[in-house]
């Protein structure tokens, strides 16, 4: 896949994601302004609780299966079936386990809402189809399907919000989203895929191989979702729904940007794979260029958000959420580590350093939990924001310093920053010479 084709795929992904994020963002703002901090905080709590179990519906297989789809195009359906079986089994285990935990530590209404959300999350297993279409350079088809499903679910959610829906109704609508996306993905897969080659006698062997290769990524994904979502769960446990709402409003604005580097990195996965096995020198250059681009984007976003935090929160959420501005001013700095992590997640796959994904994510998760235990009871949402920022730094940078294999990526990060600085200096010199 050429860099031009990669760019086109990336453009398609970003276009659809902007549309879906804009729709979800509008719905979120309407939700907060219409239903207030109490219900908004409760909803953020139950969705974050349910999200802790999403790795079981993925099983660390996204990047692994993408590699097999690209390298063995004649057997994509075989690998699709094997990965789907693993993901469905994991999703069902998560549904049962998560529901039992929810009923044991939360109140009845919250537990029911969490169970409903976990049921919907079973369908996330079918999202492997998206990576099939990416490997075939057909991102438009899968993203159009996803956008249609999200449009339907958000229209239903907006209607429910304006009618003053309760927590359980909102959870049911949220659970509908992955169900609609999965049905859409299945429809286009069946209609567009002529490849039905499968080796029934080797399915079990393939499943075993995929589990063996993805075990580190599954554990790292689980650790990652802990340090991404545990803050709101712990806020709900130690404080109250209003404090969760204050933090959630800020986090939504900060995390708005997180999907873009992941989407772009996904679009360039095939390009990275081909370079890794054919031209290592250009492969390293591509990694550095990607890191430079992401660093530049993150810095611009951080500066703009930091200075616009107070008027932005007031304008979007209203006076009731004014305390979210201080949270946002801290939380947004984590973007730099999130952006570089999108490239790192591809790099460790290609370098076959899967276990370092777990080590770094676990470092972030453990530090986040410990920091939250100390900071949330004392400083509430502000404490959770600092815990998030520090833990992202640990997971995305500090933890890479302790092994010579991951220090290679640290050098790539440093090279990308020097490259970015050089480009900025060159730009200023060009402007001065023109003046």
């Amino acid at each position: 896949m050429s860099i031009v084709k990669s760019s086109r795929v990336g453009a398609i992904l970003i276009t659809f994601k902007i549309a879906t994020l804009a729709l979800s963002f509008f719905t979120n703002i309407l939700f907060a302004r219409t239903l207030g901090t109490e219900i908004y905080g409760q909803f953020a709590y139950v969705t974050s609780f349910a999200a802790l179990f999403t790795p079981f519906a993925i099983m660390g297989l996204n990047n692994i299966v993408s590699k097999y789809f690209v390298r063995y195009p004649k057997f994509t359906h075989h690998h699709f079936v094997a990965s789907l079986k693993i993901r469905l089994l994991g999703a069902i285990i998560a549904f049962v386990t998560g529901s039992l935990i929810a009923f044991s530590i939360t109140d009845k209404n919250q537990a029911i809402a969490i169970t409903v959300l976990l049921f919907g999350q079973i369908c996330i297993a079918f999202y492997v189809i998206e990576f099939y279409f990416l490997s075939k350079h057909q991102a438009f088809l899968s993203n159009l399907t996803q956008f249609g499903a999200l449009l339907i679910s958000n229209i239903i959610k907006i209607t429910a919000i304006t009618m003053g829906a309760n927590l359980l109704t909102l959870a049911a609508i949220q659970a509908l989203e992955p169900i609609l996306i999965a049905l859409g993905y299945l429809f286009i897969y069946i209609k567009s895929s002529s490849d039905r080659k499968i080796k029934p006698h080797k399915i079990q062997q393939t499943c075993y191989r995929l589990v063996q290769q993805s075990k580190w990524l599954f554990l790292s994904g689980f650790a990652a979702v802990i340090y991404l979502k545990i803050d709101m769960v712990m806020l709900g446990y130690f404080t109250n729904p209003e404090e969760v709402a204050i933090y959630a409003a800020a986090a939504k604005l900060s995390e708005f940007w997180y999907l873009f580097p992941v989407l772009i990195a996904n679009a360039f996965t095939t390009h990275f794979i081909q370079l890794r096995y054919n031209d290592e020198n250009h492969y390293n250059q591509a990694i550095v260029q990607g890191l430079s681009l992401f660093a530049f984007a993150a810095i611009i976003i951080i500066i703009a958000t930091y200075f616009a935090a107070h008027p932005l929160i007031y304008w979007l959420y209203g006076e009731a959420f004014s305390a979210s501005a201080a949270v946002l001013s801290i939380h947004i700095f984590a973007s730099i580590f999130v952006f570089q992590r999108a490239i790192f997640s591809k790099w460790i796959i290609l370098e076959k350093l899967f276990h370092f994904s777990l080590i770094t994510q676990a470092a972030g998760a453990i530090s986040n939990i410990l920091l939250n235990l100390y900071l949330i009871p004392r400083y509430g949402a502000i404490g959770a924001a600092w815990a998030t920022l520090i833990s992202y730094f640990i997971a995305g940078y500090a933890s890479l310093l302790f092994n010579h294999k991951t220090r290679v990526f640290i050098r790539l990060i440093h090279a990308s920053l020097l490259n970015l600085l050089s480009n900025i200096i060159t730009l200023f010199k060009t402007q001065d010479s023109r003046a």
Side-chain angles (χ1 to χ4, degrees):
M1 185 178 182
S2 68
I3 192 76
V4 174
K5 286 184 178 179
S6 295
S7 300
R8 287 174 181 171
V9 173
I12 290 170
L13 292 172
I14 290 174
T15 299
F16 275 106
K17 188 51 63 176
I18 288 173
T20 55
L21 282 178
L23 182 63
S24 298
F25 189 69
F26 171 78
T27 305
N28 180 67
I29 297 299
L30 180 67
F31 184 177
R33 295 186 73 100
T34 303
L35 299 181
T37 55
E38 174 71 26
I39 189 71
Y40 185 74
Q42 287 188 38
F43 184 74
Y45 173 75
V46 298
T47 52
S48 296
F49 192 108
L52 294 176
F53 297 90
T54 53
F56 289 91
I58 299 170
M59 296 299 291
L61 286 169
N62 286 349
N63 290 315
I64 298 290
V65 175
S66 292
K67 184 172 73 172
Y68 278 103
F69 286 164
V70 172
R71 298 192 70 187
Y72 307 103
K74 292 182 179 179
F75 299 101
T76 51
H77 186 65
H78 176 83
H79 290 110
F80 164 71
V81 171
S83 62
L84 184 61
K85 285 185 175 182
I86 298 167
R87 290 162 69 114
L88 280 173
L89 177 61
I92 292 168
I93 291 172
F95 170 71
V96 175
T97 306
S99 299
L100 290 174
I101 295 172
F103 275 99
S104 65
I105 66 172
T106 65
D107 65 50
K108 184 178 179 181
N109 286 338
Q110 291 176 340
I112 294 172
I114 291 167
T115 301
V116 170
L117 290 166
L118 289 170
F119 178 78
Q121 285 179 187
I122 293 174
C123 291
I124 291 175
F126 290 93
Y127 286 17
V128 69
I129 294 172
E130 179 180 356
F131 293 87
Y132 165 82
F133 282 105
L134 277 171
S135 73
K136 300 296 183 183
H137 317 320
Q138 296 173 356
F140 178 84
L141 191 59
S142 59
N143 277 268
L144 180 62
T145 303
Q146 185 186 65
F147 179 74
L150 290 171
L151 181 63
I152 293 170
S153 65
N154 274 274
I155 289 172
I156 296 171
K157 190 182 293 184
I158 289 169
T159 304
I161 289 169
T162 55
M163 295 176 66
N166 59 25
L167 179 63
L168 183 57
T169 301
L170 292 166
I173 297 169
Q174 186 74 14
L176 179 64
E177 189 173 289
I179 295 172
L180 290 174
I181 292 173
L183 289 173
Y185 279 170
L186 273 174
F187 177 78
I188 61 171
Y189 180 79
I190 293 169
K191 286 291 184 180
S192 64
S193 173
S194 58
D195 173 26
R196 290 292 183 270
K197 291 181 182 178
I198 193 170
K199 299 178 179 180
H201 61 289
K202 289 191 175 182
I203 279 289
Q204 187 173 352
Q205 181 182 344
T206 302
C207 288
Y208 177 78
R209 184 173 70 250
L210 289 173
V211 169
Q212 285 297 107
Q213 292 184 6
S214 66
K215 60 185 178 183
W216 295 113
L217 297 175
F218 161 68
L219 292 172
S220 91
F222 188 64
V225 82
I226 288 176
Y227 83 82
L228 282 168
K229 297 296 181 181
I230 198 66
D231 41 16
M232 279 189 270
V233 174
M234 294 181 74
L235 268 171
Y237 182 81
F238 285 113
T239 60
N240 53 64
E242 287 80 6
E243 198 72 12
V244 178
I246 293 300
Y247 182 84
K252 284 286 184 182
L253 288 176
S254 182
E255 293 169 2
F256 174 86
W257 306 101
Y258 289 6
L259 283 175
F260 289 103
V262 174
L263 286 171
I264 296 171
N266 284 345
F268 279 85
T269 297
T270 304
H271 182 61
F272 287 147
I273 291 170
Q274 291 174 344
L275 287 177
R276 176 64 182 86
Y277 294 103
N278 297 307
D279 191 338
E280 187 171 355
N281 196 36
H282 282 88
Y283 162 71
N284 287 327
Q285 289 178 12
I287 295 292
V288 169
Q289 289 172 358
L291 287 168
S292 293
L293 173 65
F294 284 178
F296 177 73
I299 290 168
I300 294 298
I301 291 166
I302 288 168
I303 293 172
T305 305
Y306 181 83
F307 288 105
H310 288 275
L312 189 62
I313 289 291
Y314 184 82
W315 180 62
L316 291 174
Y317 290 101
E319 182 64 33
F321 288 85
S322 59
S324 296
V327 177
L328 178 59
S329 297
I330 300 166
H331 198 284
I332 193 63
F333 278 88
S335 300
I336 188 76
F337 306 112
V338 174
F339 276 47
Q340 76 179 30
R341 184 87 199 185
I343 300 290
F344 179 71
S345 67
K346 305 301 177 186
W347 183 81
I348 57 174
I349 298 292
L350 295 172
E351 299 300 319
K352 298 180 180 179
L353 301 173
F354 308 118
H355 57 294
F356 285 108
S357 178
L358 171 60
I359 292 169
T360 56
Q361 301 281 30
I366 293 169
S367 60
N368 199 17
I369 291 171
L370 293 176
L371 288 164
N372 277 323
L373 283 171
Y374 177 78
L375 294 172
I376 287 177
R378 291 166 175 80
Y379 307 107
I382 292 289
W386 277 110
T388 295
L389 175 57
I390 297 169
S391 63
Y392 279 32
F393 166 74
I394 291 171
Y397 185 85
S399 61
L400 306 184
L401 295 169
F402 295 97
N403 189 280
H404 69 279
K405 292 181 179 179
T406 50
R407 280 199 293 271
V408 173
F409 192 78
I410 288 288
R411 287 194 287 271
L412 293 174
I413 291 174
H414 293 168
S416 72
L417 295 175
L418 289 173
N419 181 57
L420 176 59
L421 182 61
S422 175
N423 289 334
I424 292 172
I425 292 172
T426 302
L427 178 63
F428 277 107
K429 284 183 178 179
T430 303
Q431 294 296 327
D432 287 341
S433 64
R434 288 178 180 177

